[in-house]
Amino acid sequence: MMELVYSVLRTRPVRLMDSPFPPRCAERFEAKKLLASGSFGSVFLARQRSLDRHAAVKLLHIDPKANQTAAARFLREAKIAAHLRHPNIVDILDHDVEDDVPWIAYEYLPGGSVDRLLRDMGAMRWPDAVTLAHQVALALACAHEQGILHRDVKPGNVLVAGPGRYKLADFGIARQLDATI
């Protein structure tokens, strides 16, 4: 059934009754289209209804009761990222678990990942690469100051926020140096 919804999303906007989101998530966010899907989850472009702005909503596909480790890691990602406020870290808008479906809503960055940018455009000019590395280093410094190790820094987890602006995403396998979050 979910695969049918995903294939429908690729071709047209979704009405609430067709939403792939759990009920409370669907009340807050309107799914617009599928952005990416993998074995563990899917990311949708959505509209945050209350503020009429775009968001990216990530749904976890696994059954959290059957795979408690993955579900806990997914929710830990939301809590860790929500505590990190920095201009080079993707903002978390909301999260929940409903009907055994964990979800996280992030700010939407239409530029896509640096990985995609490099595939589409080829190598970066060195001044652009230095800018990118500096911004990622600033994001990591912020996380490290709060006792968080990202552990998965790669071009696919750095998003283009605008010309010369980048944000670090995906704290799914981050490690806390203390147990405060």
Side-chain angles (χ1 to χ4, degrees):
M1 176 64 177
M2 281 296 245
E3 201 53 44
L4 174 63
V5 172
Y6 297 144
S7 65
V8 168
L9 279 173
R10 290 185 185 117
T11 58
R12 65 176 173 82
V14 187
R15 293 185 316 272
L16 181 59
M17 61 192 266
D18 293 333
S19 179
F21 301 157
R24 286 189 309 275
C25 182
E27 288 173 9
R28 298 174 198 162
F29 299 93
E30 175 188 359
K32 293 294 190 179
K33 72 175 184 175
L34 180 66
L35 296 174
S37 187
S39 59
F40 283 105
S42 295
V43 179
F44 292 87
L45 171 61
R47 182 181 66 83
Q48 186 177 14
R49 295 174 191 277
S50 63
L51 298 175
D52 194 28
R53 65 178 175 181
H54 285 114
V57 177
K58 183 193 280 188
L59 299 177
L60 191 61
H61 290 314
I62 61 141
D63 178 359
K65 291 177 184 169
N67 192 339
Q68 293 178 350
T69 302
R73 187 173 68 209
F74 189 81
L75 294 175
R76 188 177 68 240
E77 174 184 356
K79 289 179 181 178
I80 287 172
H83 283 86
L84 297 173
R85 289 280 182 242
H86 190 274
N88 299 113
I89 296 176
V90 173
D91 288 331
I92 298 288
L93 305 177
D94 203 351
H95 84 286
D96 205 349
V97 178
E98 302 175 58
D99 300 332
D100 293 330
V101 179
W103 60 270
I104 302 173
Y106 301 88
E107 71 174 304
Y108 174 64
L109 300 170
S113 71
V114 169
D115 184 51
R116 189 177 82 193
L117 177 74
L118 294 172
R119 277 188 312 221
D120 293 349
M121 306 296 287
M124 297 177 104
R125 296 177 327 117
W126 73 263
D128 298 331
V130 169
T131 298
L132 175 127
H134 180 250
Q135 291 179 25
V136 170
L138 291 172
L140 291 171
C142 172
H144 294 175
E145 287 169 3
Q146 296 186 46
I148 306 296
L149 297 178
H150 188 282
R151 298 180 356 143
D152 197 20
V153 178
K154 60 186 179 185
N157 287 340
V158 178
L159 303 180
V160 179
R165 294 183 41 242
Y166 305 94
K167 292 194 174 203
L168 185 60
D170 198 348
F171 283 79
I173 64 170
R175 177 153 308 196
Q176 300 166 214
L177 298 178
D178 61 29
T180 59
I181 298 177

